[in-house]
Amino acid sequence: MTAVIRLEDIMKTYVMGDAVVHALDHVSVEIGVGEFTSIMGPSGSGKSTMMNILGCLDRPTSGQYYLDGKEVAGYSDDELARTRNAKIGFVFQNFNLLPKLSAQLNVALPLVYAGIGEEERLERAKTALEAVGLGDRIDHNPTEMSGGQRQRVAIARALINDPAIIMADEPTGNLDTKSSYEIMDIFKKMNDNGKTVVMVTHEPDIAEQTKRILTMRDGKLVSDEWRADHV
């Protein structure tokens, strides 16, 4: 399988007073096109730092990060931003929606930055919301929605630019069990449609629904487990 993501000897180091903290400590891993991978680990294990580097939100202290075969660790902020917008859709635990905008306008927002005209933006946002089962909620604000519905809006927004990769940071962290499983079904469907999905979670029952589980501890990648029923 072609690697869409390849980390080689990645280090992320912070100096805190007299102490040097290795948030990521010599991490090397490949993630193939169309994989559904979860990153697990206790608080402080480095999983969120790894997600930020994978998502081009941060850059490593040292090491190489190849995204679609291009070495991006040394990119400028502008180059990282362009890469993010073109290739990656993000879903966050706290949804990161603008409360005074309707679901449709929230979903359309990334298309503003892409220079797409208003009529096409709204049409594509409507289609994306219908795809996650919210066609009847396009005029509702986030404050009028449940947590599960808000996360669906966030997923629709992540999909609006048709990115090859979806990065999800604790996407079920604020949801009840029923909503969590409904959201996981949407991620599975996206993966079945060819999207590469990388998800940070601390919930074993959520990780068990992905095809591969990477486990972090103290900044190191300590386990790489393929789910037997998904191989």
Side-chain angles (χ1 to χ4, degrees):
M1 186 181 287
T2 309
V4 67
I5 286 169
R6 182 156 55 97
L7 300 182
E8 291 185 359
D9 203 29
I10 292 287
M11 297 283 290
K12 183 65 180 181
T13 305
Y14 299 99
V15 178
M16 305 179 81
D18 295 336
V20 177
V21 177
H22 297 301
L24 291 178
D25 192 358
H26 298 289
V27 174
S28 296
V29 70
E30 289 189 2
I31 295 174
V33 174
E35 282 186 22
F36 189 177
T37 302
S38 53
I39 304 172
M40 285 201 72
S43 182
S45 63
K47 59 186 188 296
S48 290
T49 304
M50 183 147 146
M51 174 65 82
N52 285 340
I53 287 174
L54 291 175
C56 297
L57 295 165
D58 196 4
R59 51 171 64 83
T61 305
S62 63
Q64 285 78 47
Y65 172 20
Y66 295 91
L67 180 64
D68 266 348
K70 292 190 175 67
E71 211 286 300
V72 299
Y75 273 19
S76 69
D77 288 350
D78 284 350
E79 288 171 320
L80 284 177
R82 276 198 297 274
T83 302
R84 274 199 306 274
N85 291 341
K87 296 182 184 295
I88 303 170
F90 292 95
V91 180
F92 299 99
Q93 178 175 351
N94 295 323
F95 321 127
N96 287 11
L97 301 173
L98 296 176
K100 294 183 176 172
L101 293 186
S102 68
Q104 188 177 25
L105 290 175
N106 265 289
V107 171
L109 208 53
L111 299 178
V112 175
Y113 305 120
I116 306 292
E118 183 181 20
E119 192 175 337
E120 185 183 341
R121 286 201 306 266
L122 294 177
E123 188 57 41
R124 280 170 62 175
K126 179 172 177 281
T127 302
L129 284 163
E130 287 168 351
V132 295
L134 287 181
D136 58 343
R137 289 281 192 276
I138 64 171
D139 295 325
H140 287 60
N141 288 4
T143 50
E144 303 170 294
M145 295 181 170
S146 68
Q149 288 171 333
R150 275 180 268 177
Q151 194 59 291
R152 286 171 188 246
V153 175
I155 290 170
R157 182 185 58 193
L159 289 171
I160 196 73
N161 276 331
D162 195 25
I165 305 166
I166 299 291
M167 300 270 180
D169 195 354
E170 298 279 7
T172 60
N174 285 341
L175 304 179
D176 59 62
T177 302
K178 180 173 181 289
S179 297
S180 294
Y181 279 64
E182 288 171 353
I183 292 300
M184 286 304 293
D185 283 342
I186 293 175
F187 281 116
K188 287 176 192 170
K189 192 180 295 181
M190 288 194 294
N191 181 240
D192 288 343
N193 289 333
K195 301 284 185 204
T196 303
V197 183
V198 182
M199 175 182 296
V200 164
T201 182
H202 66 275
E203 301 168 274
D205 62 317
I206 294 298
E208 294 282 330
Q209 297 182 57
T210 67
K211 296 177 180 176
R212 181 185 184 189
I213 304 174
L214 303 174
T215 304
M216 305 287 296
R217 192 166 294 122
D218 298 325
K220 295 181 188 294
L221 182 59
V222 295
S223 166
D224 183 353
E225 174 196 356
W226 286 89
R227 310 290 303 132
D229 51 341
H230 287 307
V231 172

